[in-house]
Each structure stands twice: as C-alpha cells, then as structure tokens.
Amino acid sequence: MALGLRLEKNQKSPGLQLSGETLTLDRCGGLWLADHRTLIVSDLHLEKGSAYAARTGQFLPPYDTRETLACLHEAVARFDPACIVALGDSFHDSRGPERMEPGDRAMVAALQQGRDWVWIAGNHDAAVSEGVGGRYAEVMTLGGLTLRHEPTPGAAPGEIAGHLHPCGKVAMRGRAVRRRCFVTDGTRLVMPAFGAYAGGLNVRDAAFEPLFSAGFTAHLLGDGRVFSIGRSMLAKD
C-alpha cells in the first residue's frame, strides 16, 4: 500500500480543543480560531534570503518573502480573519523590514488592510521595525490561550508557541515522508514554521521532551490536508 494511503488512514479531524477553545489546524500551516476570527501563523522568517546574502556574500534566490506572503494571502482569502497574529520570528533579523522590496511591503499592507495585525516578539526579531504596520506585543492572551514565540519549559496549559519549527517523519517499507507539523498533547501546541525558507526540527528531537514528556500527536501538513500521526509512528532522522 502506498505511503500516502497509509497516512490517510490515520487522518483525524483537523479541529481540536485546547483550554476550551476550538482550533482548526490548516493545511497551510496556519491556525484558525473561528470564535475569535483570528488566524495565527508562526516563524515567517521574511527576508531570510537577503539576510543570508548580507551575512555571507552568497546569494539564495530572493523570492522567499514573496512566496511566504503569497501562501499567507491564500489563507487570508479563505478565512477572512478580523485579526492576524504573527507568532514571532516574522523577519529573519531585525533589519529585515529595511530590505523588503516595495512590492513585498505592499503585499503586507494589503494583508493588514481592515484587520488587526499583531507582531509577537521573536528571538530573531525582538522588536519589529517601524514602517511595516500592525502592532507589537511580547505575549498575547486570547480567550483561554496564551500566544508567545518560545515555548515555556514545563507545564503551560493553553500555550500556543512556535520557535522550534517542528517536522514529523514517517518511514514505511523503505520510503519516508518528512513534513512540517503542528505538535500537541491536548494541553499546549507548537506550530510549524510558515516561512518558505524556514527549516525544520524533527519532533523526536530531545528539544521537545521537556514540553511533551507524556507523549504527543503530530499533525503533518500533507497535500491539501492534515494527517494526524501518533508519536510511536514517527521516526527519528
């Protein structure tokens, strides 16, 4: 049986409950809170390509920002959120907004039009520079949820965080699939990186142990759907 079909058997509803709030795990890697009309995305890492070029003198194709914003535009068109929360590391470094091309800056402005836009502080972008619109916050509370960039060690009921760029790997009959994923134990949730150039850390890595010591489910981003996979089915790199 094809690996994709085996994964489909394990697919569950992309909706879940966390601290009394209903969350929809979207195929794009965003999190939709219908009751609050809020779309959450994490780790956009805009201008990562230009940051790499400035630091090393070696050039990556300079299209990561536009591709990331195009994916976000598609999600916004489907959900029509009243609020968008960018959950930290929205820019790859603090000077990212200065390097944005006018067309990309215009895309951000169009996404913000008529909506509340919140930039949460990240470790790459502790404060978003002026000129990119929206408002800035260290942490945000939404209903029973706490939104921040870096997960808090130990118990943190209702926490939604990013930072770790989780990926899940499933291996069967000599084949393997590795995808970005949401990861949750039903108490807290860590979001996948949304950025086109953002890398990923395997959820079986030791970095996740302090957060999910009793186990977790990874919700892998598939082709047009989200697949829910238990920890025991996930392989290490």
Side-chain angles (χ1 to χ4, degrees):
M1 184 178 291
L3 180 58
L5 294 178
R6 291 289 295 275
L7 289 179
E8 187 171 356
K9 284 188 174 182
N10 294 283
Q11 185 186 8
K12 299 177 183 178
S13 169
L16 58 85
Q17 295 288 317
L18 196 71
S19 288
E21 302 288 344
T22 301
L23 317 180
T24 298
L25 314 181
D26 190 63
R27 63 182 185 267
C28 71
L31 189 65
W32 174 237
L33 280 62
D35 291 345
H36 300 278
R37 287 193 61 205
T38 296
L39 178 66
I40 304 171
V41 292
S42 187
D43 295 275
L44 301 175
H45 282 272
L46 302 175
E47 296 301 311
K48 182 174 181 178
S50 64
Y52 186 80
R55 187 176 70 252
T56 68
Q58 300 180 26
F59 290 89
L60 295 173
Y63 308 119
D64 58 305
T65 293
R66 190 151 304 176
E67 181 178 343
T68 299
L69 293 176
C71 290
L72 182 54
H73 176 82
E74 187 274 335
V76 168
R78 284 190 288 114
F79 290 114
D80 188 25
C83 177
I84 297 173
V85 180
L87 206 60
D89 284 1
S90 301
F91 291 89
H92 193 64
D93 62 16
S94 60
R95 300 189 65 180
E98 300 173 24
R99 298 194 303 272
M100 287 186 78
E101 296 197 5
D104 296 336
R105 190 179 293 272
M107 289 181 71
V108 173
L111 288 166
Q112 293 173 337
Q113 188 171 7
R115 300 182 174 89
D116 184 21
W117 182 293
V118 185
W119 303 101
I120 300 295
N123 58 295
H124 280 252
D125 53 355
V128 176
S129 302
E130 294 183 3
V132 291
R135 59 189 177 95
Y136 167 83
E138 291 279 348
V139 179
M140 180 177 176
T141 301
L142 194 62
L145 305 173
T146 300
L147 315 182
R148 58 167 51 93
H149 178 62
E150 294 193 43
T152 305
E159 181 182 80
I160 296 176
H163 182 59
L164 292 175
H165 300 202
C167 285
K169 180 179 179 181
V170 181
M172 295 179 182
R173 298 182 181 179
R175 296 183 58 198
V177 172
R178 192 179 193 274
R179 298 287 179 91
R180 299 182 189 194
C181 66
F182 300 89
V183 56
T184 181
D185 58 0
T187 300
R188 74 191 320 156
L189 181 141
V190 177
M191 293 190 58
F194 197 91
Y197 280 4
L201 179 65
N202 192 307
V203 291
R204 296 293 304 276
D205 187 271
F208 291 93
E209 289 296 331
L211 308 178
F212 303 109
S213 58
F216 57 79
T217 299
H219 302 270
L220 278 62
L221 307 184
D223 297 329
R225 63 183 68 193
V226 177
F227 299 96
S228 302
I229 310 294
R231 185 183 185 277
S232 64
M233 288 188 63
L234 295 167
K236 296 181 179 181
D237 288 335

